[in-house]
Amino acid sequence: MRLRGVRRSRNVEDRRGAGGGGKASFGGVALLLVLAIGYFAGVDVTPLLDGVTQPSGAAREPTAEEERAAEFSAQVLATTEEVWGRIFEEQLGRSYTPPVLVLFLGQTSSPCGGASGATGPFYCPADRKAYLDTEFFATLSQQLGARGDFAAAYVIAHEVAHHVQNELGILAQVNEARQAVGEVQANALTVRLELQADCLAGVWATHVDGLLEPGDIEEALNAARMIGDDHLQRRAGRVPQPHSFTHGTSEQRERWFARGYEAGDPGACDSFAADRL
């Protein structure tokens, strides 16, 4: 992704080095199990890590790689601000208020619960902020096999898409509907919410096409495949359990991102009206 000359967003809250640093230490299988349950869901799954070394809480200075990740994140966030600001104004006739991106190392707090390296990136509608441990990009590449800078950009765009859903009132509607049904039905609603966010991330990708390099879209599609519920559960040594899915299968995530990219229109992202996901 060509980001040279792209401005850095000012909507970044950098909590790195402010205490609460350090990252839970666990092996690849345990990490994948954690991600299979909590990835992108905004769910703190650290209680599931019994017997695992928890963060020490000691502050430390970000590494050079983490500093590059922070700059990259701020630039990608700026592109989402421009894209969604334009779409809201031109297509929806309203203004867009961008989210704040909280950067942290190891662990921090949010109104939606504790944030740690175990939760993965997530969006908290209560404070309208997206949370990202800058070490996560290494996990994305090394542990999950989703390599490339545009795979990382897709992660940010997906979380911003949840903010777009919040701006449009979709998150509140889904939350109300989830509370009225059982766990399996609630999970199914969450899958539709996540696939819509993937589609909206694809819409963003269309509108930053001038910044893309050869292979970027393939990186995003591969990232979508690598974080499908079925793939993550298999990697964790489990038989996929569709009733437990909260984000969709690899095929579904890839297809909905592609749908948004090909259409370039948020109107194509109504996953709740789709007969087939």
Side-chain angles (χ1 to χ4, degrees):
M1 189 176 187
R2 302 183 184 94
L3 291 175
R4 179 174 294 181
V6 173
R7 70 175 178 88
R8 297 183 60 174
S9 172
R10 295 182 179 180
N11 294 307
V12 176
E13 180 182 335
D14 194 346
R15 298 184 187 176
R16 300 172 305 158
K23 192 177 182 72
S25 175
F26 40 83
V29 172
L31 172 63
L32 289 167
L33 175 58
V34 165
L35 293 179
I37 299 170
Y39 199 87
F40 285 151
V43 177
D44 188 351
V45 296
T46 50
L48 301 178
L49 302 178
D50 294 334
V52 172
T53 302
Q54 295 297 314
S56 64
R60 67 170 176 82
E61 290 300 315
T63 65
E65 182 179 3
E66 289 159 359
E67 287 290 13
R68 288 192 294 270
E71 181 175 6
F72 171 84
S73 299
Q75 289 178 298
V76 171
L77 184 64
T79 70
T80 68
E81 293 166 353
E82 293 175 9
V83 167
W84 289 113
R86 187 167 61 251
I87 289 176
F88 267 57
E89 180 179 356
E90 296 176 357
Q91 298 187 26
L92 303 176
R94 54 180 289 185
S95 60
Y96 171 69
T97 303
V100 169
L101 178 63
V102 177
L103 301 178
F104 67 95
L105 283 173
Q107 62 182 5
T108 191
S109 61
S110 85
C112 294
S116 76
T119 64
F122 71 95
Y123 173 73
C124 179
D127 62 0
R128 309 172 72 82
K129 295 180 180 181
Y131 289 77
L132 174 66
D133 184 337
T134 50
E135 289 187 272
F136 179 76
F137 291 142
T139 298
L140 187 69
S141 174
Q142 298 168 15
Q143 296 282 358
L144 298 178
R147 298 176 177 83
D149 61 351
F150 204 68
Y154 154 72
V155 169
I156 297 171
H158 178 100
E159 297 312 319
V160 171
H162 283 313
H163 177 71
V164 170
Q165 292 172 319
N166 197 30
E167 286 278 283
L168 297 176
I170 297 171
L171 286 187
Q173 293 173 11
V174 172
N175 183 56
E176 183 178 354
R178 279 173 48 88
Q179 293 176 357
V181 297
E183 181 179 358
V184 173
Q185 295 93 331
N187 287 346
L189 286 169
T190 304
V191 166
R192 289 181 183 268
L193 188 73
E194 295 293 334
L195 294 179
Q196 184 180 63
D198 282 331
C199 184
L200 293 172
V203 171
W204 160 81
T206 299
H207 290 272
V208 295
D209 191 68
L211 301 177
L212 302 187
E213 297 175 306
D216 276 351
I217 294 302
E218 287 73 15
E219 290 175 1
L221 291 172
N222 177 60
R225 288 192 297 270
M226 293 299 102
I227 59 178
D229 286 322
D230 55 337
H231 179 75
L232 287 173
Q233 289 186 5
R234 288 191 188 97
R235 288 286 302 271
R238 301 168 56 198
V239 175
Q241 302 291 326
H243 69 277
S244 70
F245 292 173
T246 56
H247 295 83
T249 67
S250 294
E251 188 273 336
Q252 289 170 335
R253 301 202 70 168
E254 180 182 8
R255 180 152 45 82
W256 278 88
F257 176 88
R259 179 172 179 160
Y261 179 71
E262 292 165 3
D265 180 3
C269 297
D270 189 357
S271 56
F272 295 94
D275 293 329
R276 175 178 175 267
L277 294 178

